[in-house]
């Protein structure tokens, strides 16, 4: 845990990134990935369904704000052992499938993106099926709750269901959304889905006209786990601004995402880079690798104050395959004044 990198190791990582980003994809190809983003994520969940991830019970060590006693971490020092508790069921430590490396805390696979796509007939049907309720007269899902959590990019529910299982606060209500209708189907069809405590809905964060089912300043917590990195970098600030408006004063955004020079970034080949530190995988999904300063700028520009912003560097060893892997993640907590 918290492995220190030597200057040589950092220089080597920087060199690999320079090499794999020296050849950018043509602009028309980049636009194609943006336009078809939803289809790529729907395809991903159709292939893997909910068997690809294990529930992330490390959540409550790193983010005590999600537990019933809700003791917020004020010192920003907590990063405990969580990574080895979430292995892909498709191969374990060190396995990579279609550019998705397992064991990355929502592993590289469940970034559950939120991207803009053209309005086509199937999308209109999906919108009707997962309509977002009217907030008039304060009548919306969870309106009577005393503590409200939203997870953006919920995937198959690997964060939502541990929260519902662990947090027995009768005043709790959990919202979860995803860009992929296939992912939301998986959540709603789970035997543990309880509509009296949870509301899952399809939502395109990049569409400013797409309403949320809850009003501004109604949420205590917004969770972003390996989600922001899957969004077109120039759209990130607008999205963080929108999410910050949903928070009550004192409410927090909790983030866990990819750090610069993570193993997943170094493994990309030439021709997969879209722009600086932003790549496309073999299955069409995309990923960005952050620095602490970039995330701090996004959140503070949105009017939030820093509680925690740290880099977690880990050495993972697969003794069976004689592999060592250096992972780099960033964990943040930002609060609305």
């Amino acid at each position: 845990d918290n492995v220190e990198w030597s200057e040589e190791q950092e220089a080597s990582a920087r060199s690999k990134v320079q090499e794999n980003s020296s050849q950018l994809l043509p602009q028309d190809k980049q636009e194609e990935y943006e336009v078809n983003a939803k289809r790529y994520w729907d395809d991903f969940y159709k292939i893997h369904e909910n068997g690809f991830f294990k529930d992330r019970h490390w959540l409550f060590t790193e983010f005590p704000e999600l537990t019933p006693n809700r003791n917020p971490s004020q010192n920003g020092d907590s990063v405990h052992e969580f990574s080895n508790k979430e292995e892909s069921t498709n191969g374990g430590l060190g396995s990579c499938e279609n550019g998705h490396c397992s064991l990355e805390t929502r592993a590289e696979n469940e970034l559950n993106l939120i991207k803009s796509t053209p309005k086509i007939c199937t999308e209109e049907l999906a919108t009707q099926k997962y309509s977002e309720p009217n907030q008039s007269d304060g009548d919306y899902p969870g309106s009577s709750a005393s503590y409200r959590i939203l997870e953006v990019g919920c995937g198959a529910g690997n964060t939502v269901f541990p929260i519902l299982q662990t947090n027995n606060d009768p005043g709790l209500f959990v919202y979860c959304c995803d860009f992929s209708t296939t992912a939301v189907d998986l959540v709603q069809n789970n035997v543990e889905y309880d509509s009296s405590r949870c509301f899952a809905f399809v939502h395109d964060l990049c569409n400013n006209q797409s309403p949320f089912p809850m009003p501004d300043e109604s949420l205590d917590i917004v969770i972003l786990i390996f989600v922001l990195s899957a969004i077109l970098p120039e759209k990130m600030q607008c999205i963080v601004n929108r999410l910050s408006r949903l928070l009550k004063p004192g409410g927090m955004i909790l983030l866990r995402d990819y750090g610069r020079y993570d193993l997943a970034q170094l493994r990309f080949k030439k021709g997969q880079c879209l722009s600086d530190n932003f790549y496309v995988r073999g299955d069409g999904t995309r990923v960005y690798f952050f620095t602490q300063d970039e995330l701090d700028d996004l959140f503070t520009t949105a009017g939030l104050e820093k509680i925690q912003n740290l880099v977690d560097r880990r050495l993972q060893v697969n003794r069976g395959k004689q592999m060592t892997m250096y992972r780099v993640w960033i964990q943040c907590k930002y609060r609305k004044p």
Side-chain angles (χ1 to χ4, degrees):
D1 293 357
N2 300 310
V3 176
E4 291 295 325
W5 281 30
S6 67
E7 289 183 14
E8 291 80 8
Q9 186 175 359
E10 185 133 359
S12 173
R14 193 179 305 114
S15 175
K16 285 182 181 177
V17 167
Q18 288 172 351
E19 181 183 350
N20 71 21
S21 59
S22 61
Q23 177 185 334
L24 299 184
L25 261 71
Q27 191 59 38
D28 60 337
K29 191 69 176 172
Q30 296 202 32
E31 290 170 3
E32 179 187 323
Y33 284 119
E34 175 70 7
V35 166
N36 295 315
K38 182 186 182 304
R39 176 169 62 82
Y40 290 124
W41 281 106
D42 277 339
D43 288 348
F44 176 83
Y45 283 105
K46 285 173 186 172
I47 292 168
H48 299 294
E49 294 189 338
N50 56 354
F52 204 89
F53 315 100
K54 291 187 177 179
D55 293 338
R56 44 187 70 98
H57 293 285
W58 54 265
L59 277 169
F60 310 107
T61 304
E62 294 304 320
F63 299 137
E65 297 82 2
L66 303 176
T67 60
N69 55 356
R70 300 197 285 269
N71 295 323
S73 172
Q74 297 298 320
N75 58 15
D77 291 334
S78 70
V79 167
H80 301 292
E81 48 181 293
F82 61 86
S83 58
N84 290 332
K85 296 178 183 176
E86 182 164 346
E87 291 194 30
S88 158
T89 56
N90 287 10
L93 182 59
S95 69
C96 278
E97 199 168 291
N98 202 4
H100 296 283
C101 300
S102 62
L103 260 186
E104 353 203 75
T105 331
R106 174 168 261 133
E108 204 168 53
N109 317 281
E110 210 178 71
L111 314 177
N112 307 325
L113 179 56
I114 316 115
K115 298 273 191 273
S116 58
T117 62
K119 301 299 177 189
I120 55 177
C121 296
T122 53
E123 283 308 289
E124 290 168 6
L125 291 172
T127 303
Q128 292 169 15
K129 182 177 179 183
Y130 301 101
S131 58
E132 293 164 342
N134 197 310
Q135 300 167 19
S136 61
D137 304 321
D139 183 19
Y140 58 93
S143 56
S144 61
S146 58
Y147 198 73
R148 301 185 191 94
I149 295 172
L150 165 66
E151 188 197 9
V152 178
C154 61
N158 304 82
T159 292
V160 169
F161 292 122
I163 292 173
L164 292 173
Q165 292 161 2
T166 303
N167 192 332
N168 56 6
D169 181 348
L172 173 72
F173 196 86
V174 181
Y175 307 90
C176 59
C177 64
D178 203 281
F179 187 51
S180 166
T181 53
T182 305
V184 173
D185 273 335
L186 289 170
V187 173
Q188 292 185 334
N189 292 327
N190 191 301
V191 293
E192 297 194 38
Y193 183 72
D194 180 356
S195 59
S196 69
R197 303 183 68 213
C198 182
F199 181 69
F201 59 101
V202 174
H203 189 84
D204 179 1
L205 263 186
C206 291
N207 179 0
N208 291 332
Q209 304 306 311
S210 179
F212 285 101
M214 75 292 289
D216 287 352
E217 298 199 348
S218 63
L219 297 178
D220 295 274
I221 298 289
V222 172
I223 306 169
L224 293 168
I225 299 181
F226 295 95
V227 172
L228 200 58
S229 55
I231 292 167
L232 204 62
E234 51 263 39
K235 295 186 178 183
M236 291 179 184
Q237 186 65 65
C238 180
I239 285 166
V240 173
N241 292 348
R242 286 190 73 203
L243 293 174
S244 70
R245 288 198 291 271
L246 294 175
L247 290 173
K248 299 175 182 176
M252 294 176 68
I253 288 183
L254 310 178
L255 173 138
R256 184 87 184 168
D257 222 320
Y258 295 103
R260 191 69 47 84
Y261 305 146
D262 177 60
L263 168 77
Q265 182 177 18
L266 305 186
R267 281 186 171 179
F268 279 106
K269 308 299 183 190
K270 266 187 189 177
Q272 291 180 275
C273 189
L274 302 167
S275 60
D276 287 349
N277 305 296
F278 190 46
Y279 300 82
V280 62
R281 302 188 186 87
D283 61 4
T285 61
R286 297 169 296 175
V287 57
Y288 186 83
F289 297 87
F290 290 100
T291 64
Q292 289 172 280
D293 287 345
E294 286 172 339
L295 286 166
D296 190 65
D297 285 345
L298 286 171
F299 291 123
T300 54
T301 300
L304 305 178
E305 58 185 21
K306 181 173 71 175
I307 303 301
Q308 179 189 76
N309 182 327
L310 54 83
V311 175
D312 182 18
R313 291 184 174 88
R314 295 184 178 249
L315 170 61
Q316 296 177 341
V317 180
N318 183 331
R319 293 180 177 83
K321 295 185 178 181
Q322 298 289 301
M323 289 174 61
T324 58
M325 297 167 292
Y326 288 91
R327 307 314 314 269
V328 183
W329 297 302
I330 298 181
Q331 183 167 299
C332 295
K333 302 180 183 184
Y334 280 78
R335 183 167 56 201
K336 189 171 189 174

